[in-house]
Amino acid sequence: MAAKPYGLIATFETTPDVYHAAEKVRDAGYKNWDCITPFPIHGLDGAMGVKRSNVPKFSLCGGLLGFTTGMSLIYWTSAVNYPLVVGGKPYFSPLYAFPVSYELTILFTAFATIGGMFFLNRLPMHYHPVLKSDKIVSGMDDKFHIVIESSDPKFNLAHTKALLEQAGGKDIQELEA
Amino acid sequence: MAAHAHSSAAQPAILSEVKPTPFPRATLVENNRSFGWVTDKICGIIEGKTPTWWWVCFILACFVASFTVAGITYLVATGVGVWGHANPVNWAWDIVNFVFWIGIGHAGTLISAILCLLRQKWRTSINRAAEAMTIFAVVCAGIFPVFHVGRVWFAWYLFPIPNSNEIWQNYRSPLEWDVFAVSTYGTVSVLFWYVGLIPDLAVLRDRFFKAGNKVRSFLYGIFAMGWRGSNRHWSNYEMAYLILAGVSTPLVLSVHTIVSFDFAVSLLPGWHTTIFPPYFVAGAIFSGFGMVLTLMLPLRAIYGLQDLITQYHIDCMCKIVLATGTIVGYAYGMEFFIAWYGANPNEGFAFINRAFGHYAWAYWIMISCNVITPQFFWFKKVRENTAFVWILSIFVNVGMWFERFVIIVTSLARDFLPSSWGYYSPSIVEIFTFFGTFGVFSVLFLLFIRFLPVMPMAEIKAVMPQADPHGHAPTGHGDSALAHSTKH
């Protein structure tokens, strides 16, 4: 237990409390910290200084890959691998290939979006100091928490604790790593 | 001229003083409940003892589902001829049931995706169950075309998997488009549903852990992926959810469009009409909302969810049923008009035959259920009478099944050559198989309400007035939701 704590966790009762506290922690210059909230709070990203999510980049790649897969699958199977005349029409036309390519665009976009979300969030991660804390039950229910990690260059047990207290945090505890 | 200039200069000054009357917004969670109440209420359904009614319904549903199992077993053992299909009606109940179930599913995606994009916050309390309904409806839908192929063990020929004949699928066929549309739809619906479930599964994981139930905590935990409510995660999660909603919207529209292409791309009078895609999509949403009402009203009553599914939610759903039902009614009229205006005798005959031929009974059931039933929803008194709304929702479901029957069977039974005309009746095997799918659906739905949160807790909390970070303390007034919803 003498090991360095993972960080400090403070509890907040209401949404405005955690919102304003997040602004204070952000302005104090912390980088490795997080808010634990039971639901997404509107505008908290801005209050924390979190940048716009990169998930759309994954989605775009997935969509392009899906469309290309559809078109090339149909081109290859109908015009290259086993050319077969159907209704006296050309072997390949992007028009008849469109519906299937359209569906594959959506399918691949969905997978890429979810995969990208998991990748960016580093999930699944079944072990985490926050999950070990007793506070997670209320943190998933109706309370709000701010966690400042000890890996943050500005982390100092006393100062950080003071900051959280001053921001209105209750019941500040050390998180076991 | 001067007076003119004066008046136009004065007008903005007057306008700036006009304070628009705040548009009253309904509260989405009544009685000013707390976040904790929402969690306890929804988790309580899962954590409580299995109610007796659940077992009764479950056993009954399993019994009904066994009819599908029996029907399909007999079909596989004997051949597809055990169904009542014969020339000229080679598509009948199987495709009717397929389109019926797929259509039901569409309301789930509409609620979860389209209403999400339109920022309709009332979707939050019904979207989880509606999405579950979508998935289970797609499961039921899939049974029919797969077994209609006859030798079901070759159903994988539908997918581009290399086979010993070394030939590939015909991608010009709308039926092949259907394979991709429906399988994509099923997959994306499951993904969308699952992503929505992750935060709620994490809640259950932690509650079961605290209660000492390690096994259930472990099982929910696996699927919760280690979710810990981190706002950095929420940021990516919300974006992913929005994009999924964004891709599901064109998906749901395309699925029923492609289903309608199965008919519209053919040359058969009665099928060969350009109105089919929008008409099918409207019909799908109509029937789907009918089914949502059929399912949610009993659920609301049994579990006392009146604070979460409020009268406002029921009003909204009834109004969508009214709107889409009216679109469907318009489409019926327009089909007739075009059949006359198009001056094609075969087309004209097909429609007159529908309304006054051998299958006129089916046509008039369809018209009464789909066109007349929803018109009751114009009246507030009707929308407030839950029992009556529920009964009307059943009529909507029946009507939409008959719509597909009318389109498919009447057109085929009287095609171009009078010498090949026929009359189709279903065989007992078909009736069993279709009847059983209601059991399959109910079994899945009952398992869902027993083991998974029936409402998205995180999403409900996010639309509650207390969720606003800009200081709307819970004052006990429902209209703080107004301030919340106008702010963003």
Side-chain angles (χ1 to χ4, degrees):
Chain A
M1 291 301 282
K4 194 177 163 196
Y6 171 78
L8 283 172
I9 186 164
T11 308
F12 298 85
E13 291 290 327
T14 69
T15 330
D17 287 353
V18 74
Y19 183 88
H20 297 302
E23 287 176 328
K24 289 196 178 100
V25 178
R26 173 197 66 192
D27 294 341
Y30 285 91
K31 295 278 172 263
N32 299 347
W33 65 288
D34 213 339
C35 295
I36 304 294
T37 62
F39 56 86
I41 296 173
H42 195 93
L44 191 59
D45 289 356
M48 281 181 69
V50 175
K51 288 200 196 72
R52 191 184 148 85
S53 166
N54 277 325
V55 169
K57 290 172 189 161
F58 287 84
S59 313
L60 180 67
C61 295
L64 292 173
L65 183 68
F67 192 76
T68 325
T69 305
M71 282 289 171
S72 33
L73 168 82
I74 294 172
Y75 178 76
W76 186 76
T77 54
S78 336
V80 179
N81 185 251
Y82 199 132
L84 193 65
V85 178
V86 178
K89 304 227 174 65
Y91 291 130
F92 179 76
S93 146
L95 295 183
Y96 82 78
F98 189 80
V100 167
S101 309
Y102 178 94
E103 299 301 336
L104 288 179
T105 308
I106 291 173
L107 184 68
F108 281 48
T109 308
F111 274 110
T113 306
I114 294 172
M117 188 268 280
F118 282 138
F119 175 75
L120 292 172
N121 285 346
R122 306 287 184 270
L123 291 177
M125 188 188 284
H126 289 289
Y127 179 85
H128 194 274
V130 170
L131 292 180
K132 240 168 84 174
S133 161
D134 292 339
K135 285 172 178 273
I136 190 70
V137 176
S138 67
M140 293 307 232
D141 181 5
D142 58 352
K143 298 284 191 291
F144 309 88
H145 299 89
I146 288 183
V147 177
I148 302 184
E149 295 170 21
S150 57
S151 60
D152 192 288
K154 295 199 75 167
F155 186 87
N156 171 304
L157 204 54
H159 288 159
T160 307
K161 197 167 184 174
L163 172 75
L164 285 171
E165 260 165 12
Q166 182 238 330
K170 306 264 159 46
D171 188 25
I172 299 167
Q173 291 176 9
E174 287 181 18
L175 276 179
E176 194 187 319
Chain B
M1 197 65 182
H4 217 88
H6 175 74
S7 68
S8 64
Q11 257 171 1
I14 293 167
L15 273 178
S16 72
E17 285 167 22
V18 174
K19 289 225 168 63
T21 318
F23 183 69
R25 290 261 187 166
T27 346
L28 295 170
V29 179
E30 274 177 1
N31 291 331
N32 196 36
R33 300 297 191 177
S34 67
F35 294 138
W37 181 85
V38 174
T39 319
D40 289 340
K41 185 81 195 167
I42 295 167
C43 292
I45 296 175
I46 301 165
E47 291 163 350
K49 198 169 159 287
T50 310
T52 318
W53 68 261
W54 190 90
W55 278 114
V56 172
C57 292
F58 187 72
I59 291 166
L60 193 68
C62 286
F63 174 69
V64 174
S66 69
F67 280 71
T68 293
V69 177
I72 284 172
T73 311
Y74 185 60
L75 176 128
V76 172
T78 318
V80 81
V82 299
W83 283 353
H85 303 182
N87 273 333
V89 186
N90 286 310
W91 272 8
W93 269 39
D94 56 328
I95 305 298
V96 173
N97 301 338
F98 162 73
V99 181
F100 170 76
W101 277 116
I102 280 282
I104 291 212
H106 278 41
T109 320
L110 181 102
I111 292 169
S112 56
I114 300 182
L115 296 185
C116 174
L117 294 184
L118 297 176
R119 309 236 172 241
Q120 293 293 309
K121 293 182 174 175
W122 60 273
R123 67 183 268 287
T124 51
S125 61
I126 50 171
N127 75 350
R128 170 75 42 76
E131 283 171 45
M133 178 192 83
T134 298
I135 294 163
F136 307 149
V138 172
V139 169
C140 293
I143 293 172
F144 294 98
V146 165
F147 283 92
H148 188 216
V149 300
R151 287 179 287 175
V152 69
W153 50 96
F154 288 131
W156 59 275
Y157 277 19
L158 294 165
F159 292 95
I161 301 167
N163 58 59
S164 54
N165 297 330
E166 295 205 341
I167 56 168
W168 296 101
Q169 291 68 31
N170 174 14
Y171 289 100
R172 281 188 177 83
S173 165
L175 298 178
E176 186 61 24
W177 303 347
D178 230 5
V179 171
F180 279 84
V182 173
S183 51
T184 300
Y185 185 51
T187 314
V188 173
S189 300
V190 171
L191 291 176
F192 199 13
W193 191 56
Y194 174 61
V195 167
L197 272 167
I198 291 171
D200 289 355
L201 293 176
V203 175
L204 287 163
R205 170 198 66 198
D206 296 331
R207 283 174 70 102
F208 276 117
F209 189 81
K210 197 183 172 194
N213 192 335
K214 297 278 155 63
V215 178
R216 289 191 78 172
S217 174
F218 177 77
L219 292 172
Y220 284 115
I222 287 180
F223 290 102
M225 291 272 177
W227 184 263
R228 56 179 189 272
S230 152
N231 193 58
R232 291 176 197 276
H233 288 180
W234 278 121
S235 172
N236 291 322
Y237 176 93
E238 287 270 270
M239 184 59 85
Y241 199 84
L242 185 69
I243 292 171
L244 284 176
V247 296
S248 299
T249 301
L251 174 64
V252 68
L253 299 179
S254 78
V255 171
H256 232 59
T257 299
I258 288 177
V259 168
S260 82
F261 282 168
D262 292 348
F263 308 103
V265 172
S266 76
L267 295 174
L268 190 73
W271 285 8
H272 185 59
T273 55
T274 48
I275 201 176
F276 264 20
Y279 158 33
F280 267 52
V281 171
I285 292 166
F286 175 62
S287 66
F289 268 93
M291 192 57 125
V292 172
L293 284 168
T294 311
L295 295 170
M296 294 311 276
L297 294 179
L299 205 62
R300 174 182 189 252
I302 290 168
Y303 286 121
L305 299 169
Q306 282 86 348
D307 287 343
L308 295 167
I309 304 173
T310 64
Q311 183 56 42
Y312 175 67
H313 290 91
I314 299 175
D315 269 1
C316 287
M317 288 191 270
C318 290
K319 285 173 188 168
I320 290 184
V321 169
L322 172 60
T324 48
T326 311
I327 295 174
V328 168
Y330 167 81
Y332 295 156
M334 191 46 77
E335 275 189 321
F336 255 88
F337 172 74
I338 293 295
W340 167 76
Y341 188 70
N344 179 331
N346 288 311
E347 186 82 8
F349 168 76
F351 280 91
I352 290 172
N353 178 55
R354 252 180 213 180
F356 306 106
H358 286 88
Y359 288 108
W361 53 275
Y363 184 83
W364 293 107
I365 292 178
M366 167 187 99
I367 292 283
S368 350
C369 292
N370 291 352
V371 185
I372 300 168
T373 307
Q375 303 309 321
F376 284 102
F377 291 138
W378 284 106
F379 305 104
K380 197 165 182 232
K381 279 250 160 26
V382 172
R383 298 196 303 265
E384 281 174 355
N385 184 340
T386 353
F388 194 50
V389 169
W390 191 77
I391 292 167
L392 291 179
S393 78
I394 300 281
F395 276 101
V396 168
N397 290 319
V398 172
M400 282 311 289
W401 186 87
F402 272 96
E403 180 196 297
R404 280 66 179 249
F405 180 83
V406 164
I407 292 172
I408 293 169
V409 176
T410 64
S411 312
L412 283 171
R414 294 283 181 275
D415 63 358
F416 302 98
L417 285 177
S419 60
S420 66
W421 286 358
Y423 188 87
Y424 159 86
S425 307
S427 76
I428 191 75
V429 183
E430 272 169 293
I431 296 171
F432 271 27
T433 310
F434 177 54
F435 174 65
T437 51
F438 288 97
V440 174
F441 182 85
S442 309
V443 166
L444 293 169
F445 200 79
L446 284 164
L447 289 172
F448 158 70
I449 57 178
R450 190 71 207 106
F451 294 107
L452 290 173
V454 289
M455 291 181 184
M457 293 178 268
E459 285 183 55
I460 291 177
K461 289 174 193 169
V463 300
M464 286 164 73
Q466 305 96 294
D468 189 350
H470 303 294
H472 288 279
T475 53
H477 289 293
D479 57 10
S480 50
L482 159 72
H484 176 65
S485 50
T486 48
K487 198 151 205 151
H488 306 299

